[in-house]
Amino acid sequence: MPASPLSVGVVFGGASGEHAVSIRSAATVVGALRRGDNADRYRLSCFYIDRQGRWWPPAVAEAVLSRGLPAEAADLPAPAGPPGFRGFPEGALNVEVWYPVLHGPNGEDGTIQGLFTLMGVPFVGSGVLGSAVGMDKQAMKAAFAAAGLPQVPYVCVEAAELADATVEALLDRLVQQLGFPCFVKPANMGSSVGISKATDRASLLAGLREAAALDPRLVVEQGVKARELECAVLGSRTLEASVLGEICFEADWYDYTTKYSEGLSHTVIPARVPDAVADRARTLAITACRAVAASGLARVDFFYDEASADLWINEINTLPGFTSQSMYPMLWAASGVPLETLVHRLLQGARESAGQTVPDAEAP
Ligand SMILES: Nc1ncnc2c1ncn2[C@@H]1O[C@H](COP(=O)(O)OP(=O)(O)O)[C@@H](O)[C@H]1O
Ligand SMILES: [Mg+2]
């Protein structure tokens, strides 16, 4: 047992569409860091980032965690300052390792990783490059393509191409290269926000306009009818891949409502696929992490067509959902790494990546 516990800063919430999920993920992480051996190893300080990007100290963060709901302006103790980061609340400068539990823009995308890097304080998860490339679907796909990873055919689109003078040519190009159905996605969102399935020229144009309202960078992909498999990756110097999980749902595709409504989807762990498919997915998951420079933790998602045995990589999430019902911790639990060990190993990995000597790194 260490002589004095390590000071860990858990930061959650965030100016992102996934703010509410982040609170549930943080509750799971904080619970696991306060249990068993972790209670002696770590002294936690929690920090809450509200939807406007303002940072709040532990007293507010703990209240948000215990309520499990985002704070509204009326709940916050001081008059709200201007939006955005305006300096750390009390206690943050004593943090020895940061644990960001933030999903989506302004947290999973390299921004907060840049802040911690500039401060010279270790943090859990990918660095600036891996986070930024993993977040932006255009950059992610280019990195995957360069690494030779199998992906469904796709076209990158700029919102400016929707201008009257070019929109018809754009639609012609998409229809010719991808056909229907196809999926339109903003490059930088998550949780299926802004994604739509297009089945004809009119729904393609509507989908492009909807996505362009959220992001100037878009991706359009050929639609496939396939099972959805996920693999969790963990490690700093060496990366390990978990057993696979499958997301099952009745809906046509895994949209926002299906993702977040109780009972509309369920997970099967381990996924019922041939061993050879699971092994291939695990190898591809690690290649995908290397391709975008992701480390620490990541969840890599696949499409699997049973009939043809095709396996396509869909995306990487560098700060995947971490609620008690989330795939990432469940995949590790099924792979022999219980939650308490998982969060400990993530902190060990953060320190190792920063070049710190971690005494029990090999035997967590
Ligand atoms: N090319 C595709 N073919 C079939 N379904 C797709 C395709 N792309 C996305 N989907 C569906 O949309 C969901 C969300 O897409 P995804 O790229 O994973 O976005 P997000 O980053 O928001 O999770 C997928 O889980 C899947 O159900
Ligand atoms: Mg997804």
Side-chain angles (χ1 to χ4, degrees), residues 137 152 183 185 189-193 195 221-225 228 249 253-255 259 301 303 314-315 317:
K137 291 190 196 295
V152 300
F183 281 79
K185 311 180 180 185
M189 293 304 289
S191 286
S192 301
V193 173
I195 297 184
E221 286 177 30
Q222 194 169 87
V224 287
K225 193 86 199 121
E228 301 204 19
F249 47 85
W253 59 282
Y254 200 33
D255 59 7
K259 262 181 197 175
D301 300 349
F303 296 128
N314 173 30
E315 63 160 338
N317 293 281

Side-chain angles (χ1 to χ4, degrees), residues 227-232 241-248 254 265-273 275 278 282 299-301 321 323-337 342:
R227 291 166 65 184
E228 301 204 19
L229 305 177
E230 304 192 347
C231 180
S242 71
V243 299
L244 298 199
E246 177 167 8
I247 308 273
C248 302
Y254 200 33
S265 67
H266 69 276
T267 51
V268 177
I269 301 173
R272 295 191 193 103
V273 296
D275 287 349
R282 273 193 287 275
R299 200 193 70 227
V300 181
D301 300 349
T323 74
S324 56
Q325 303 305 307
S326 291
M327 195 62 119
Y328 188 86
M330 292 200 298
L331 286 176
W332 280 116
S335 307
V337 184
L342 180 60

Side-chain angles (χ1 to χ4, degrees), residues 110-121:
T111 49
I112 208 165
Q113 291 77 9
L115 180 62
F116 297 149
T117 302
L118 289 173
M119 293 169 71
V121 180

Side-chain angles (χ1 to χ4, degrees), residues 107-114 123-136 188 292-295 316 318-319:
E108 189 171 348
D109 57 355
T111 49
I112 208 165
Q113 291 77 9
F123 54 93
V124 167
S126 296
V128 171
L129 180 66
S131 304
V133 176
M135 185 75 218
D136 181 283
N188 291 280
V292 305
S295 66
I316 187 167
T318 54
L319 283 177

Side-chain angles (χ1 to χ4, degrees), residues 15 18 31 41 46 65 76 117 120 146 174 191 208 214 238 242 246 261 263 268 291 295 298 307 316 338:
E18 291 164 278
R41 292 175 177 135
C46 298
L65 278 180
L76 297 169
T117 302
L174 294 173
S191 286
L208 286 164
L214 300 168
T238 52
S242 71
E246 177 167 8
S261 309
V268 177
S295 66
I316 187 167

Side-chain angles (χ1 to χ4, degrees), residues 15-96:
S16 149
E18 291 164 278
H19 183 98
V21 185
S22 158
I23 295 172
R24 292 173 48 212
S25 292
T28 306
V29 168
V30 167
L33 285 172
R34 286 184 169 148
R35 272 199 300 276
D37 291 344
N38 288 340
D40 301 318
R41 292 175 177 135
Y42 302 116
R43 188 176 62 251
L44 294 197
S45 305
C46 298
F47 299 90
Y48 173 63
I49 304 179
D50 68 22
R51 289 185 199 271
Q52 282 71 45
R54 294 177 290 245
W55 286 55
W56 294 89
V60 175
E62 297 286 351
V64 172
L65 278 180
S66 59
R67 247 183 17 154
L69 291 172
E72 302 304 335
D75 304 326
L76 297 169
F85 178 70
R86 288 287 183 284
F88 286 112
E90 214 180 308
L93 292 177
N94 302 325
V95 166
E96 292 170 288

